[in-house]
Amino acid sequence: MPDLDEAERKQFLGAIGREARALSDVARSLIGQFDSSSRVAGNVSAMREIDDLIIEQQNYFPQFERVAEDLRGELDAKGSFGPALLVEELERRFGVRTQIGGSSGIEDFPGQYRFAADERVMWLQGSTTLATRQFQLARLLGELSAADVMRTTLDAAVLTSPTTRRLAARAMGSYLAGAIVFPYSRFLAEAEGLAYDIDQLRQIFNGSFEQVAHRLVSLRRPGEEGIPFGFLRSDPAGRLTKHFPLPGLLLPNSGHACPLWSIYGAFRQPEMLLRQVVRFSDGSRYLFLARSLQRRPGSYREPATHISIMLACDVLHADRTVYASGLDLDDHEADVPVGPTCRLCTRRDCPARQEEMLTPDGPRSVTRLPLIPKEFGLGDSG
């Protein structure tokens, strides 16, 4: 524009430059968002493939149960089962040396344990509990002893990426460790005899709350079943980080569950077991058992991590557990009305709703007035 002087021209070009840089930042942010969404979708897809594998097997893998039964029999014949015996067997059978405490060999390694296959060293953080050491040593012994069975199981599953296969192998290793630490028939007998008292089962088998809860979910042997349980784990932000489905109960496989579920209330009462009888809009009723746990930090500067664990069973099985004591299971008015997640819940009048319900026509439309700039002197925009 010929009527601009030099100062105005510089001001104009400076404004254009600032706007261009701002648009560039927006573009980068959008690209990052698309990339993040793609990664999330990939992770969800991977978890769904693993869920399909678990659901197909009803979370019961007889091939791993047989391997675990044989291994546990051999170990029990040599001495008292526990971390010390597992350390001896790992070194004797596979030349694996166990190191507790000290450096993991990887700078800034955040985990509590790692297996360095090249050096044949199993490292465990010094702050780990005996239950964690026992479980992870049993996992390694099981994975090394049953490598062929693991490979065959993974080859037969529908796993479309190396990441999915690695996560599935991790899940199978955890299952195998649980089967070794908590032998099926003995564990089921103890669980039935103690009315599924998790704390007593922990003492008998030297396990953690989460380990015992995992094992309860896998008691699906035909003709020798335990109570069918569903399982959820959440972080303090409410994200579900692990789940094992229960037929009939819709458990979200990612994101957040209903804010009224006891898995979230447990964070407000650390280390206390909460019980809750809930009713869904279809009339189905469940007993929820939840407890928050703190994992030991490795140092003063390392923040403690918290998780919440929840077990769920149909209320028809509740009287087989110690947790039904004192509850009037026939009093439907005392049930907590809940849903699976806000977007899948049909309770429109729920005071805890955080998101609109998804319907075939999309969320209910809301008419909004256009935003009017204050500069026009027409009041606040709203």
Side-chain angles (χ1 to χ4, degrees):
M1 299 178 65
D3 58 339
L4 290 179
D5 60 28
E6 189 62 25
E8 290 175 326
R9 189 181 302 278
K10 288 182 178 179
Q11 184 179 5
F12 177 77
L13 292 175
I16 291 293
R18 287 193 300 273
E19 291 297 326
R21 286 193 295 273
L23 286 172
S24 179
D25 290 339
V26 170
R28 282 196 295 269
S29 178
L30 285 171
I31 292 171
Q33 179 65 37
F34 292 143
D35 185 50
S36 175
S37 299
S38 177
R39 288 197 302 271
V40 169
N43 289 338
V44 170
S45 176
M47 294 310 298
R48 283 178 180 165
E49 288 182 13
I50 296 172
D51 289 345
D52 289 344
L53 172 61
I54 293 173
I55 292 171
E56 181 184 355
Q57 298 291 325
Q58 297 185 343
N59 199 34
Y60 175 72
F61 294 83
Q63 66 272 35
F64 294 135
E65 296 288 349
R66 288 191 292 270
V67 170
E69 187 175 351
D70 292 341
L71 273 174
R72 183 59 189 262
E74 295 172 8
L75 291 169
D76 288 340
K78 294 183 178 181
S80 177
F81 181 80
L85 181 58
L86 290 167
V87 167
E88 293 177 7
E89 284 299 295
L90 280 168
E91 186 159 12
R92 186 183 69 82
R93 295 188 184 203
F94 302 104
V96 172
R97 180 173 60 85
T98 301
Q99 177 186 337
I100 298 176
S103 172
S104 67
I106 299 179
E107 187 177 358
D108 298 328
F109 179 73
Q112 291 186 311
Y113 51 86
R114 66 176 291 268
F115 173 55
D118 293 339
E119 293 83 9
R120 311 302 286 174
V121 174
M122 176 63 173
W123 175 83
L124 293 152
Q125 193 177 69
S127 62
T128 51
T129 63
L130 288 177
T132 297
R133 294 177 190 178
Q134 176 177 265
F135 191 86
Q136 296 306 328
L137 291 169
R139 176 209 290 272
L140 182 58
L141 180 62
E143 289 175 344
L144 294 176
S145 301
D148 291 341
V149 178
M150 292 274 289
R151 188 178 305 107
T152 300
T153 302
L154 293 172
D155 288 344
V158 179
L159 304 171
T160 59
S161 71
T163 298
T164 306
R165 187 180 177 92
R166 176 176 57 80
L167 294 173
R170 195 74 185 153
M172 297 301 97
S174 291
Y175 185 101
L176 184 53
I180 295 171
V181 175
F182 310 105
Y184 193 102
S185 296
R186 182 188 166 201
F187 182 79
L188 175 60
E190 294 284 3
E192 290 282 351
L194 296 171
Y196 291 84
D197 188 320
I198 297 174
D199 286 304
Q200 289 199 55
L201 290 170
R202 290 175 59 192
Q203 294 181 55
I204 292 172
F205 293 94
N206 298 318
S208 70
F209 186 92
E210 183 175 3
Q211 292 166 11
V212 171
H214 268 201
R215 190 53 169 153
L216 289 174
V217 174
S218 65
L219 299 179
R220 302 282 206 272
R221 178 179 289 173
E224 196 180 357
E225 298 94 344
I227 291 178
F229 282 106
F231 175 98
L232 275 181
R233 187 180 71 189
S234 170
D235 65 15
R239 293 180 305 163
L240 304 179
T241 56
K242 185 183 293 185
H243 86 292
F244 293 102
L246 173 66
L249 174 60
L250 181 59
L251 294 180
N253 59 6
S254 63
H256 299 74
C258 171
L260 297 175
W261 286 13
S262 58
I263 191 170
Y264 300 129
F267 282 114
R268 297 189 291 272
Q269 301 183 53
E271 300 294 336
M272 295 286 292
L273 190 141
L274 300 187
R275 54 185 184 169
Q276 180 187 46
V277 178
V278 302
R279 185 176 71 256
F280 287 79
S281 55
D282 64 356
S284 59
R285 303 169 69 221
Y286 294 88
L287 174 65
F288 285 174
L289 306 170
R291 188 173 191 172
S292 67
L293 307 169
Q294 176 179 319
R295 291 179 173 171
R296 291 182 181 180
S299 68
Y300 171 75
R301 296 183 182 278
E302 182 181 325
T305 57
H306 297 81
I307 58 171
S308 182
I309 302 295
M310 190 181 86
L311 286 173
C313 71
D314 193 295
V315 77
L316 295 174
H317 300 292
D319 59 358
R320 293 171 58 187
T321 75
V322 66
Y323 305 107
S325 178
L327 296 177
D328 185 356
L329 299 177
D330 295 324
D331 183 6
H332 290 226
E333 295 301 318
D335 296 349
V336 178
V338 300
T341 66
C342 285
R343 294 207 163 191
L344 298 177
C345 181
T346 59
R347 301 184 189 277
R348 295 188 181 276
D349 59 346
C350 177
R353 179 174 289 281
Q354 303 295 319
E355 296 179 288
E356 281 290 331
M357 178 181 67
L358 290 176
T359 65
D361 299 325
R364 288 181 296 170
S365 61
V366 179
T367 302
R368 298 185 183 274
L369 296 175
L371 300 182
I372 303 175
K374 293 182 180 181
E375 297 92 305
F376 287 10
L378 299 178
D380 294 339
S381 58

